[in-house]
Amino acid sequence: MSGHGDPIPMMSRKCGPLKGEAHVPGDKSISHRSLILGAMAVGETKVRGLLEGQDVLDTAKAMRAFGATVEKKGDTWHVHGVGVGGFAEPADVIDCGNAGTGVRLIMGAMATSPITATFTGDASLRKRPMGRVTDPLALFGAKAYGRTGGRLPMTIVGAADPVPVRYTVPVPSAQVKSAVLLAGLNAPGQTVVIEKEATRDHSERMLAGFGAEITTMETEEGRVITLTGQPELKPQTIDVPRDPSSAAFPVCAALIVPGSDVLVPNIGLNPTRAGLFETLREMGADLTYENLREEGGEPAADLRARFSPNLKGIEVPPERAASMIDEYPVLSVVAAFAEGATVMRGVKELRVKESDRIAAMADGLRLAGIEVEDGPDWWIVHGRGHGNVPGGVETVSHLDHRIAMSFLVMGMASEKPMRVDDGSPIATSFPIFEGLMGGLGADIERV
Ligand code: S3P
């Protein structure tokens, strides 16, 4: 899907306490990876709890185009994989819609097979840099022909005789790391990826789960990940945990709406993903982990978030950025309701997400009466404290689901309602957002 649907203007206004349980959908990162690795295994992988957001549905469609069978029976998704190196050449252009993760991981997965594929996406995805992925894929022997600046649409000619690579990822990006690892699957010998800052490690964990030989060593250079190529991946049964990045929205809403008490059950707290919750607690949020446990080798808990009238701005440690990179937009909303400045540094990557997230949030926050300073890789939100956030403006979502949801959360507690010009991108990652928030007591409407 290329996001050609009509825009959906939305508005949220001040509401009574948010109460109840928020069952958020499956993790987007893990959902993409389940389908892609399922398609590269030999036999049938079963996936429960898959995120049925548009991003992931586009990846499912792409995997079919490369020859895998992907179908839903009852509540379970079944993926019949074609094996490492078994991808067929797609008969048409692969449209990854809004999904950076989808397109970059799939480019990696096909780059070491002797096939050619052309990729495109919606207006947001066509602006995003692909060179960060095609540079390392070229080392394997793949060729990329795209628009100026390495933009989609882009054709990848997979390497017929791939060689393994040793690659240090120049930006903190799990998508780049994962693209290299997936390409390494069909290269003979060992592919080594080095990352200076730890990013989400779902690919490493899942590759091990599918039976690949993969090790991670913490060294002075950073995390050194070594993958042995050309394994036979064994199909798996996967229970996708719920997405901490989606949990962030009901959690943050509960913290700023007076009287709220919301339970968000069963959220994965993989340390490479849980930075927001730590940050909120440091700001004085009444946010507790209940029933802390291990699930599928990862920590998980039920999150309980209660209205927190005395939030304080803090300096977010830059080394935490990768573990909460998708959560800065909604954090900046909470920061507006805190006393004092929230300082966010080391966040250059925010400028190349579905939108330039620093610009998109700073524009809307400023319009809504909040002082924001920003530079190339930092921004500071000057909070006005609870009860002093004016709101009352229309913001632009720039085809970015997290921008739309962040401003709708803001409107739940600002003095005047917040409008978003287009809430349709919310369906990429959190299709049940409106119903779920409404069920807790939020007042969101399509206008
Ligand atoms: C993701 C990695 C992150 C993140 C995105 C999902 C992934 O992107 O922002 O939503 O699943 O690997 P980068 O790798 O560009 O940081």
Side-chain angles (χ1 to χ4, degrees), residues 28-29 33 101 104 132 172-175 200 325-326 353:
K28 178 155 73 73
S29 295
R33 287 161 172 79
T101 307
R104 293 187 176 128
R132 53 176 54 200
S173 167
Q175 292 176 1
R200 64 192 70 196
I325 195 66
D326 290 334
K353 295 294 178 187

